[in-house]
Amino acid sequence: MGKSEISCKYITCYLLPLLLLTILNGCRSTKYIPEGEYLLWKNKVELRSDKVMTNRGEIKENLYQIIQQKTNSNYLSVLPIKVPKKLWSYNRRYNKLKNRPDSLLPKTVERPTIYDSAKTARSVTNMKSYLFNQGYFYAKVTDTIIYRKKKAIAVYRVNAGANYIINRTSYDVDDSAIADILKRHESATFLTKGKEFTYSMLEEERSRIAALIANHGYRRFSLDNITFELDTMNKALFRVASSPFENAVNFISQTKSNKKSTLDIVIRLRQREHSNDYEKYTVSSVTVYPDFRGSRDIDNPKMLTQEINGVKFRYHEKYVHANVLYEHIFINPGNLYSKSNEDKTTAKLGELGIFQSIRVQFNGGWRDKDSIDCNIFLTKAKKYDFSTNFEVSNGTTYALGNSLSLNYRNKNFLKGANILAIRVNGGLETYYNDNIAENIYDRFRILTRYYGANGSIDFPKFLAPIASTLFTNSNLPHTIVGIGENVIDRVNYFRLANTSANFSYSWHETDEKTWGLTPAFVNLIRVPKKTDSFQNVLNNNRYLFNSYQESFIEGENISFRYDNNAKKHGLNYSYIRISLEEAGSILRAIDNMGIALDKVYKKKYAQYTKIDFDARHYFTMQRSVVAVRFYGGVGTPYGNSSALPYIKQYFAGGPYSLRGWRIRTLGPGSFADTSQTQSLNLIDRTGDIKLELNGEYRFAVAPLFAGAIKMNGAIFADAGNIWLANKDASYPGGELALDKIGQDIAADMGMGVRFDIASFLTLRVDAAVPVKKPNIKTNKGWVFKDINFSDPTWRSDNIIFNLSIGYPF
C-alpha cells in the first residue's frame, strides 16, 4: 500500500467523520439558543503565581470547582471535541420538553446553560476568597468572555501572587491550668514554623486545641473559645473571629514592599461571659443498656442488673456478656471527662458489629458543677447474615467457568460478640473443542473442578498465653481462628487437596494503620491423584516436580497496612501493604533436637521466606482518576525446598494482573514453551518472584438508565513478570538475573469499560494487547511494529478480553 493510499484511507476513515461530527456538534448544541444570548461552552482557568506553587494542580482543580456556572455535561470527553450528550437529547425533544418544569425533566436531558454575567462576577469573588484562605492574601482574578457565534467561553485569569510562610506561633490564654496543658502539647501543633500558611491550618489547629482541652475534663470548652491573630512581617494585622472562613479580617496596615512573606500567629483562648467553659467534670456513674428499647428502660425496675468495676449493665435479657462490652468501654466512674474516651467508646462498640445504633449521653454538670452521669444506649442489630454469590466467567485456560458460594455469619456467637463465619464454595471450568462432537453442547469438557469449606471465629479480644498488657485497650487485637479444606481437581491430570488452619491477631494502630500477626499457620498439601501423563511431565521437570509434591507447611506471618482513603475523603489517597512470611524454621529446630518429623508423618515439610508488597496511589480529578500500583513478592526456598509450594507461588496474567496475557500463561522470565509440552490446559506458569507495575486513567463516560448505571472508561498499561528463584533446565531463561531483567519485563496496553450498577456491583470488560514480549529477542521484545488490527489472525492471537467483577486495584 502506497503513501497516497494510506493518506486517503486516513482522511476517509478518521478526519472526515471527525470533521462531520464537529460541524454537527456545533449546529445541534446552539439550535435553540434565544437571540442575544449565548451557550456557556467552556470555563477556562489560567493560573500563575510569583513563586513556585507546591500544590498547583490541586489549587487549579478547586478553582474550577467553585465556578458558579457550569457547562452542560460533557461526555466522551476523551475525544478531541466536546460532546454534550444530554443537551443534544434535550434539543431533539425540544418541542415536547420546552414548557416542562425542570423538576419534571428526564435525567437523560439538560437544558442549555445560558451564560450569566452575574454568576461570573460571583465566581471571581469566590476565587479571591478561596485563594485568601490558602494564604495568597494579594491574589488578583480577572475574567474575559470570548463570544463565538452563539457560544461563550469564560476565561478566568488568576495571578495568585505569593503566599505566606509561618514564622512564629504563640499563646495568649486567660487561665493558667489550660495554658499549662497547651504548653505540654505544643509539639503537636499544625502551625509549624516554615510551613506554607493556609486558613485550613487554623481550622485544624482550632479542632486540635478544642479536643485537647476537652480530653482534660473541660466538657463545655468549644471552638468558640479560640480565636487567632495573624501578623505579617509588614504589620498587616488580621484578626480572625470565631470561624477562620468568615473572612472577618481587619486590615490595620498593608504594604507590598516586604520580601520575606512571613507571618506570626497568636492563638487566644478566652472564657465566654456567663459560661462554665473552664469547669472540669468528673464522671460520677456509667450505665450501659445493651438491648435498649426506649426511655422507659431507664426507670424500669424489672431490668436485669450487673456491675463490673463500677460500670452498671441493665438488660432485658443477656443478649451479650457484660465483660465483653466492658473491655470496649473507655469511660469509667471517678475519671475526668475525656472527649477522646467518648469517641473511642463509640468506635470500639461499633466495631463489634452487633449493634444497630450506639448513643453515649451525659447528664448533669449544670447544678453540680464538677460531676456528670453517663448513659450508653445500645440497640441490637440483626444477628445472622446469609448470602450467596454466583459468578460466570471466561478465562484463558478455560472456555466457560462458574462458581457458587454460600456464606453464613453469626455476629454474636456464644453471646460474646464473636463472629462465626462459614463459607462453602464450588465451581467448574470447562474447555471447548470443535473436533470431539457434532453437537455444540457435547464439545464442552470439564477441565477443572474445585470445591471447599472454610470456617473462622473472630474473637473481639486478645487470646494468648502472655499478658494483654502489651497492648492498650484502645488497640487490643482481635483473635481469629480459622480452618478449611479446599480441593483443586484437574480432571485429566491431578487432584490437589489443601487442609489449612491458622491462629491470627488483627489490630488498628491508628485509623490509617492496621497490623496483622499470625504466630502459627499450617497447610497440609496432598496430591491423591496423578495421571500417567501428568506424572511423566513431572518426571522431566524438576521445578514442577518440587511444586506439586505432597508437603507440610508450618509458619508465621506478619503484615502491615496503611490506608488513608477515609482521611483524604477519597482524594489523592494512598494504600500500602507489606507482609513477611516464614515457614519451616520451627520444624527444622525440632529436627535438630533429634525428632525427624518427615519420617514420623511421611511428609516433607516446606522451608521458605516470603515477602509481599502492594503500593498504590490514586490521583483524583473532577471527573477522572489516575491510579498507579506497584506490587509483587519475593519467595526464597531453602533447606528441604528448591521451590515454593504450589499454593504459595506467584503467577502473572489475567484480569487482575497483566491483562495482555491469559491467566497463568506468562513467564517465568523469558521462557517460551515452543514444544507445547506444557499446554494451556495442563500446566500453570508459576514462579517464586513477581514484580508488576500497573497504571490506569479512569474517566466517566455516561450515565445509563436515568443514572442507575454509570458507564466509565479506562486506558491502562501493565508491565512485569514472574521468575524462578533457582535456575532450572526445564525453564531456560526463567530465573531472575539483573543483567537481563529489562528483556524479561512484559508489557501490555489496553482500554476498558466499567459499569457501576447502583453503586453496588462493578462489571468490567477490558481489552489489551501485548506490546513487549520477553521471549522475542529482537528490538528488546517490543512488538509495536507487529500490531495489525486489520489482520484477523493477529487479532485472534493478541487481543485478550477480560470479563470480571470489580476494579483490578
Side-chain angles (χ1 to χ4, degrees):
M1 184 182 291
K3 289 186 177 180
S4 59
E5 294 179 84
I6 296 175
S7 300
C8 182
K9 180 180 178 181
Y10 179 79
I11 293 172
T12 304
C13 297
Y14 299 102
L15 293 186
L16 286 181
L18 189 61
L19 179 62
L20 181 62
L21 186 59
T22 303
I23 297 171
L24 181 63
N25 181 33
C27 296
R28 294 182 64 180
S29 300
T30 59
K31 185 175 182 179
Y32 295 107
I33 302 298
E35 191 64 32
E37 294 184 341
Y38 298 88
L39 174 69
L40 180 61
W41 187 244
K42 186 177 182 180
N43 288 315
K44 186 177 180 182
V45 175
E46 297 177 355
L47 174 62
R48 67 184 185 91
S49 60
D50 295 344
K51 296 182 180 180
V52 176
M53 304 176 73
T54 56
N55 56 343
R56 181 185 184 88
E58 180 182 350
I59 288 179
K60 190 170 183 179
E61 184 71 20
N62 290 337
L63 290 173
Y64 272 109
Q65 292 290 337
I66 60 180
I67 293 175
Q68 288 287 292
Q69 192 173 27
K70 310 296 184 185
T71 61
N72 287 102
S73 300
N74 177 25
Y75 299 118
L76 303 179
S77 55
V78 293
L79 296 176
I81 58 174
K82 179 174 178 175
V83 183
K85 179 178 176 294
K86 287 188 176 183
L87 176 57
W88 283 10
S89 298
Y90 174 81
N91 286 342
R92 285 200 308 268
R93 303 162 62 185
Y94 176 76
N95 292 327
K96 181 179 179 180
L97 300 175
K98 62 180 178 179
N99 296 321
R100 188 177 295 186
D102 288 347
S103 59
L104 298 180
L105 285 177
K107 293 182 179 180
T108 55
V109 304
E110 284 180 354
R111 298 190 199 277
T113 301
I114 305 299
Y115 170 69
D116 185 343
S117 59
K119 292 183 178 179
T120 300
R122 289 200 295 273
S123 297
V124 170
T125 301
N126 290 347
M127 288 182 178
K128 290 179 179 178
S129 178
Y130 167 74
L131 290 168
F132 189 90
N133 289 336
Q134 294 299 307
Y136 296 90
F137 295 148
Y138 304 113
K140 294 181 179 179
V141 183
T142 59
D143 65 274
T144 301
I145 309 304
I146 301 173
Y147 298 100
R148 293 176 181 170
K149 296 183 179 179
K150 302 285 287 183
K151 298 178 182 178
I153 300 175
V155 181
Y156 297 89
R157 293 184 172 87
V158 181
N159 182 357
N163 61 342
Y164 279 78
I165 305 299
I166 298 174
N167 177 55
R168 186 172 63 91
T169 303
S170 60
Y171 295 101
D172 179 6
V173 186
D174 60 348
D175 182 89
S176 59
I178 292 179
D180 183 62
I181 295 171
L182 293 176
K183 186 69 175 176
R184 295 199 310 267
H185 296 85
E186 63 181 350
S187 61
T189 181
F190 290 97
L191 305 175
T192 305
K193 183 175 181 177
K195 273 190 176 182
E196 294 183 352
F197 172 81
T198 67
Y199 267 76
S200 62
M201 287 182 178
L202 298 187
E203 189 69 14
E204 290 176 321
E205 182 68 4
R206 187 193 303 272
S207 298
R208 182 191 74 86
I209 292 174
L212 175 64
I213 303 304
N215 289 339
H216 285 76
Y218 298 91
R219 183 168 178 265
R220 304 294 178 188
F221 190 90
S222 70
L223 300 175
D224 295 335
N225 297 101
I226 308 168
T227 59
F228 297 90
E229 199 172 82
L230 311 184
D231 188 358
T232 65
M233 295 302 289
N234 65 356
K235 304 306 179 184
L237 188 67
F238 305 89
R239 180 172 179 79
V240 184
S242 60
S243 170
F245 301 105
E246 292 179 358
N247 300 324
V249 180
N250 177 29
F251 290 90
I252 294 179
S253 63
Q254 177 178 324
T255 64
K256 299 181 183 178
S257 59
N258 180 28
K259 297 180 180 180
K260 293 187 177 180
S261 297
T262 60
L263 57 80
D264 297 336
I265 303 174
V266 179
I267 306 173
R268 284 200 172 91
L269 275 67
R270 294 288 185 269
Q271 181 173 207
R272 296 170 296 176
E273 292 185 14
H274 310 296
S275 69
N276 52 358
D277 300 333
Y278 287 1
E279 292 289 342
K280 277 190 175 183
Y281 295 98
T282 300
V283 178
S284 59
S285 67
V286 178
T287 306
V288 184
Y289 299 84
D291 53 353
F292 186 68
R293 298 178 184 175
S295 58
R296 294 182 179 180
D297 289 354
I298 297 175
D299 299 318
N300 187 349
K302 297 181 181 180
M303 301 278 283
L304 302 174
T305 303
Q306 184 178 349
E307 185 171 323
I308 301 177
N309 293 335
V311 178
K312 295 180 181 178
F313 296 85
R314 305 192 68 206
Y315 296 88
H316 288 279
E317 58 182 353
K318 283 294 184 70
Y319 170 62
V320 60
H321 296 310
N323 62 321
V324 174
L325 300 181
Y326 178 77
E327 292 175 355
H328 292 75
I329 294 172
F330 303 89
I331 306 167
N332 293 295
N335 290 353
L336 284 174
Y337 168 80
S338 169
K339 183 66 168 64
S340 66
N341 286 343
E342 178 184 348
D343 294 340
K344 280 193 294 185
T345 296
T346 302
K348 299 300 286 186
L349 289 173
E351 286 179 9
L352 294 176
I354 61 174
F355 299 113
Q356 183 176 352
S357 67
I358 301 166
R359 183 161 56 97
V360 180
Q361 183 183 86
F362 289 92
N363 300 312
W366 296 106
R367 290 185 295 250
D368 187 355
K369 289 190 175 182
D370 59 2
S371 66
I372 50 178
D373 300 316
C374 176
N375 290 322
I376 303 176
F377 302 110
L378 309 171
T379 57
K380 295 192 296 184
K382 187 178 178 181
K383 183 177 180 180
Y384 302 104
D385 278 345
F386 297 92
S387 64
T388 60
N389 291 314
F390 180 72
E391 295 183 9
V392 177
S393 60
N394 75 320
T396 52
T397 58
Y398 59 92
L400 182 65
N402 62 76
S403 63
L404 173 67
S405 66
L406 306 175
N407 306 285
Y408 162 83
R409 283 204 318 161
N410 181 338
K411 294 183 287 186
N412 192 23
F413 182 59
L414 300 177
K415 297 185 178 181
N418 309 308
I419 299 176
L420 171 65
I422 299 174
R423 182 174 184 265
V424 179
N425 66 287
L428 297 173
E429 294 173 0
T430 61
Y431 68 94
Y432 181 82
N433 190 331
D434 286 319
N435 301 320
I436 59 177
E438 294 184 2
N439 189 316
I440 187 172
Y441 299 106
D442 295 332
R443 295 174 183 174
F444 283 94
R445 290 289 187 271
I446 294 177
L447 171 65
T448 305
R449 289 191 295 254
Y450 56 93
Y451 47 89
N454 297 272
S456 67
I457 302 179
D458 184 337
F459 299 93
K461 62 183 72 174
F462 182 65
L463 301 178
I466 59 177
S468 61
T469 52
L470 293 173
F471 303 92
T472 64
N473 283 344
S474 59
N475 64 0
L476 194 67
H478 280 218
T479 305
I480 303 103
V481 178
I483 189 170
E485 175 77 9
N486 294 275
V487 176
I488 300 174
D489 186 1
R490 283 285 182 89
V491 175
N492 297 319
Y493 306 106
F494 67 88
R495 181 182 300 125
L496 186 146
N498 173 27
T499 302
S500 61
N502 66 278
F503 185 86
S504 306
Y505 300 110
S506 176
W507 70 95
H508 296 282
E509 178 184 343
T510 66
D511 290 340
E512 294 85 36
K513 300 176 183 178
T514 303
W515 290 87
L517 173 64
T518 302
F521 71 84
V522 296
N523 295 91
L524 178 59
I525 300 173
R526 308 176 309 283
V527 189
K529 168 192 161 185
K530 296 177 186 175
T531 63
D532 293 340
S533 60
F534 183 68
Q535 185 64 56
N536 184 55
V537 172
L538 296 184
N539 292 338
N540 293 284
N541 189 311
R542 184 169 61 106
Y543 180 79
L544 289 178
F545 181 85
N546 291 323
S547 298
Y548 287 90
Q549 69 176 329
E550 298 187 346
S551 61
F552 180 75
I553 306 173
E554 185 283 328
E556 312 80 38
N557 179 287
I558 186 170
S559 64
F560 170 78
R561 186 181 75 235
Y562 174 83
D563 186 351
N564 65 352
N565 187 7
K567 181 179 179 180
K568 291 279 192 173
H569 305 289
L571 301 175
N572 297 321
Y573 61 96
S574 301
Y575 173 94
I576 300 172
R577 187 181 186 279
I578 301 174
S579 70
L580 177 64
E581 184 170 303
E582 184 279 333
S585 61
I586 294 178
L587 297 181
R588 181 63 178 173
I590 296 175
D591 268 0
N592 290 336
M593 290 188 294
I595 304 174
L597 290 183
D598 56 342
K599 294 180 180 179
V600 175
Y601 296 106
K602 308 300 182 184
K603 302 292 180 188
K604 192 173 184 179
Y605 61 86
Q607 291 179 276
Y608 64 86
T609 59
K610 190 167 177 272
I611 183 170
D612 296 292
F613 61 90
D614 185 350
R616 314 174 192 176
H617 189 75
Y618 300 84
F619 302 90
T620 56
M621 290 160 278
Q622 184 177 358
R623 287 176 54 83
S624 60
V625 175
V626 175
V628 181
R629 176 180 67 170
F630 178 49
Y631 86 114
V634 177
T636 305
Y638 68 94
N640 286 335
S641 303
S642 58
L644 293 179
Y646 174 77
I647 64 170
K648 299 293 182 178
Q649 291 175 347
Y650 301 100
F651 67 88
Y656 301 95
S657 182
L658 277 85
R659 284 159 281 187
W661 275 263
R662 297 179 171 91
I663 190 169
R664 295 183 173 89
T665 62
L666 175 61
S670 58
F671 169 75
D673 183 23
T674 55
S675 65
Q676 295 298 312
T677 58
Q678 300 176 24
S679 66
L680 289 179
N681 291 337
L682 177 60
I683 301 299
D684 295 333
R685 305 279 189 88
T686 58
D688 306 310
I689 301 166
K690 178 176 182 176
L691 295 174
E692 194 165 313
L693 179 65
N694 314 92
E696 282 199 354
Y697 172 62
R698 302 169 180 172
F699 51 89
V701 177
L704 305 175
F705 304 105
I709 298 177
K710 295 179 181 178
M711 179 180 176
N712 300 316
I715 300 172
F716 59 83
D718 310 305
N721 207 334
I722 57 171
W723 293 268
L724 305 182
N726 300 309
K727 192 172 184 177
D728 192 296
S730 301
Y731 293 96
E735 74 281 358
L736 178 65
L738 295 179
D739 60 345
K740 68 181 187 69
I741 193 170
Q743 173 68 40
D744 287 352
I745 294 295
D748 65 62
M749 300 177 66
M751 300 180 66
V753 180
R754 290 85 192 273
F755 299 93
D756 289 336
I757 303 171
S759 300
F760 173 72
L761 178 69
T762 299
L763 182 64
R764 173 166 58 96
V765 182
D766 289 333
V769 297
V771 296
K772 186 177 184 299
K773 298 180 179 180
N775 61 305
I776 303 296
K777 303 304 180 183
T778 58
N779 200 27
K780 297 183 179 180
W782 295 100
V783 293
F784 282 109
K785 62 181 179 60
D786 299 328
I787 295 177
N788 186 0
F789 288 99
S790 63
D791 182 356
T793 302
W794 181 91
R795 293 198 304 268
S796 175
D797 293 340
N798 291 275
I799 300 180
I800 305 300
F801 291 94
N802 290 290
L803 174 64
S804 52
I805 295 174
Y807 283 84
F809 58 93

